[in-house]
Amino acid sequence: MPAVDKLLLEEALQDSPQTRSLLSVFEEDAGTLTDYTNQLLQAMQRVYGAQNEMCLATQQLSKQLLAYEKQNFALGKGDEEVISTLHYFSKVVDELNVLHTELAKQLADTMVLPIIQFREKDLTEVSTLKDLFGLASNDLSLFLEHDHSMAKYSKLPKKKENEKVKTEVVKEVAAARRKQHLSSLQYYCALNALQYRKRVAMMEPMIGFAHGQINFFKRGAEMFNQSMDSFLSSVADMVQSIQVEQEAEAEKTRVSQQELLSVDESVYTPDFDVSTPQINRNLIQKAGYLNLRNKTGLVTTTWERLYFFTQGGNLMCQPRGAVAGGLIQDLDNCSVMAVDCEDRRYCFQITTPNGKSGIILQAESRKENEEWICAINNISRQIYLTDNPEAVAIKLNQTALQAVTPITSYGKKQESSRPSQNLKNSEMENDKIVPKTTVNVPEPEQLIAPGTPIQFDIVLPATEFLDQNRGGRRVNPFGETEDDTFPEAEDSLLQQMFIVRFLGSMAVNTDSTAEVIYEAMRQVLAARAIHNIFRMTETHLMVTSQTLRLIDPQTQVTRANFELTSVTQFAAHQENKRLVGFVVRMPESTGGESLSTYIFESNSEGEKICYAINLGKEIIEVQKDPEALARLMLSIPLTNDGKYVLLNHPPDDTDGSPSENRGAESEA
């Protein structure tokens, strides 16, 4: 016999709109069955009570049996055998229409009583459980109680956390959910069992009715022959098999219900394991309830708890009672990151590909928060379009974890601190480029403070901005200046241009060792991988004997300018030859000094940039001594006009003029 449609007990706790929609189908089926059962019972009672109108009563019964096929049950799957059986019984009733008389007790015991028991026991139980379920989930007071508890939980402050208040709120949420979960499980079990009882209840009274007719009238072989007996036997076997299946399902349901109710309190408690949650970072789809931030005015906002789910590359939202979800955000090529919003915990923001701020959502736990961020990150990369998205997601997340883990030892990093250029004059190499570090390697926490923010866009230092505005000439308020604002470039003995892409900058604690640059490289690359930041701005790095300048290749506007004397440390990565960084010491308005490191990716080898910086610093040192400057100039080739220093082995793609433009944006 075809399988019976069932409600999944595992989805009772989640209470998603999809489950509610399926539940409404079962409720509609139960309502239709109740109406039909009442009508069938009325027909049977008419047969029982109307001896003189037996012919009319059996005729009405025959019609009612045929009406089962036209009921349009919402869950009519598997009723074909029931329909065919009722059709056959309808023919039998028509044949016996003229022969029926009072069946008395036999009809009352075998025909009317089973259907009454079905209605009073099964249908009444479903109706009672429906009322209890409605009180637990749809009643206004309890509904508001759960939402009020969730609202109090969502408003728990992140900064000033009160453990006593948090415990009380968490208990309220858990109690409301347990109450709803218990009523849901009982209601779901009754609806599932009703699908079996419905089939039995429709056929069992008719079996009793047929046997009553046979026993009472002692019909002859001309009406109740061997074929009729075999048909009744097959129907009885079918009913028995359904009952056996129902008993097995009832036992299985009972065990499943006990297992679901015997789970740990962590199932009902939000954010149970805050310290070490088990986070799945390879998700390509996600669903669950989130709080959506809505602006109601210029400075006022509201938070609404809605059911969200991902579908392909879209984020969908389905309010309670809605048949289907609606599109909220296209996730392709978007970015997502955790944010602090109105002192609420576990908030994250989705930003559109054009950089505009999108929606802000709040999860109920740290696990949900991080899994939503990881899932949206995976979807934004369009992993779902690949043949094996799960494998691609696992591979990408492993790559991100490798970026967070250092892959080179400090020993290798120390070896890479001295770029090797094949210069004509070997005395310009060795430890002049990067000072040697001490034997004792500092810890990463000593180099960069934990939690130091990373800047992914080029921002002019504050003191540099002040210096540019001290003169009488009007200066661009965004810190950008044209090339003619740096006349020292015309008199510089060194001018070397490199095409680079800015990766990030951050404050550091020391500039005494090149290890701080390697640590900054590791943290910047890891942050870009984790937060899905792949777009970088291409710029020109101009190295002169006085300054380091970052120039916009399209507008030729200088975006940042660093005095070469303020560059205290510089180094290139040994394994990734294109990574280069330098540390800048800048004065602060308070009178102290700050240290910042800047990380770039170059089109050429980073060692060439380090050599140019080292050469510029040497020129600054020997400019005080004309004889030393002359010796340095003799050892280094110049341009034809004898003005600028030429470096050995210039890169093919970096020594072009500043007007050479290869595009302002590039993908990592």
Side-chain angles (χ1 to χ4, degrees), residues 172 214 289 353 406 470 602 658:
E172 289 181 12
I214 294 173
Y289 280 98
R470 286 172 183 165
S602 172

Side-chain angles (χ1 to χ4, degrees), residues 556-617:
Q556 298 303 304
V557 171
T558 299
R559 301 195 62 187
N561 181 55
F562 305 100
E563 294 292 336
L564 205 57
T565 54
S566 66
V567 179
T568 59
Q569 195 70 249
F570 49 94
H573 200 282
Q574 182 183 18
E575 295 184 1
N576 189 344
K577 302 295 184 180
R578 294 187 175 187
L579 287 181
V580 65
F582 56 83
V583 180
V584 178
R585 181 182 292 270
M586 300 296 296
E588 295 182 342
S589 58
T590 57
E593 290 182 331
S594 63
L595 296 174
S596 299
T597 180
Y598 294 80
I599 308 300
F600 297 87
E601 180 187 40
S602 172
N603 280 10
S604 61
E605 294 184 2
E607 293 182 352
K608 296 181 180 180
I609 299 178
C610 292
Y611 174 75
I613 296 175
N614 183 74
L615 185 58
K617 296 179 74 69

Side-chain angles (χ1 to χ4, degrees), residues 448-454 506 523:
I448 302 176
T452 300
I454 300 175
M506 58 192 307
Q523 293 193 20

Side-chain angles (χ1 to χ4, degrees), residues 37-197:
T37 302
N38 291 331
Q39 296 173 10
L40 183 61
L41 179 59
Q42 290 176 2
M44 292 181 175
Q45 286 176 337
R46 186 174 182 182
V47 173
Y48 172 74
Q51 299 180 6
N52 298 326
E53 298 180 359
M54 183 59 68
C55 181
L56 295 176
T58 53
Q59 185 179 7
Q60 177 66 25
L61 176 60
S62 178
K63 293 180 180 180
Q64 195 61 45
L65 293 175
L66 293 176
Y68 181 84
E69 183 180 9
K70 302 177 182 179
Q71 293 303 307
N72 295 324
F73 290 107
L75 299 175
K77 179 182 178 182
D79 283 350
E80 291 78 8
E81 295 185 12
V82 176
I83 293 173
S84 61
T85 304
L86 294 180
H87 280 191
Y88 189 88
F89 278 124
S90 177
K91 295 178 181 180
V92 173
V93 171
D94 288 337
E95 294 176 359
L96 297 176
N97 185 40
V98 295
L99 302 176
H100 282 305
T101 59
E102 185 180 4
L103 300 180
K105 188 177 182 301
Q106 211 171 17
L107 286 178
D109 294 338
T110 60
M111 183 181 69
V112 180
L113 184 60
I115 198 68
I116 292 178
Q117 290 177 341
F118 170 72
R119 187 185 67 172
E120 299 299 328
K121 179 181 178 181
D122 298 277
L123 295 181
T124 304
E125 179 185 6
V126 170
S127 178
T128 303
L129 291 176
K130 180 180 180 180
D131 295 337
L132 295 176
F133 176 76
L135 290 175
S137 60
N138 297 327
D139 183 72
L140 181 60
S141 60
L142 295 178
F143 174 79
L144 293 177
E145 176 186 350
H146 177 262
D147 278 10
H148 180 66
S149 300
M150 280 305 306
K152 290 171 60 179
Y153 171 76
S154 300
K155 291 180 180 179
L156 288 176
K158 176 181 177 182
K159 298 178 180 178
K160 297 181 179 180
E161 187 169 287
N162 190 323
E163 289 296 327
K164 182 178 180 181
V165 175
K166 177 181 177 182
T167 303
E168 294 177 355
V169 173
V170 167
K171 287 182 177 179
E172 289 181 12
V173 175
R177 288 183 175 178
R178 171 177 281 278
K179 190 183 302 180
Q180 180 180 354
H181 191 199
L182 179 60
S183 62
S184 299
L185 287 176
Q186 294 175 344
Y187 187 37
Y188 287 8
C189 292
L191 287 176
N192 290 339
L194 185 62
Q195 296 304 310
Y196 294 94
R197 287 291 303 146

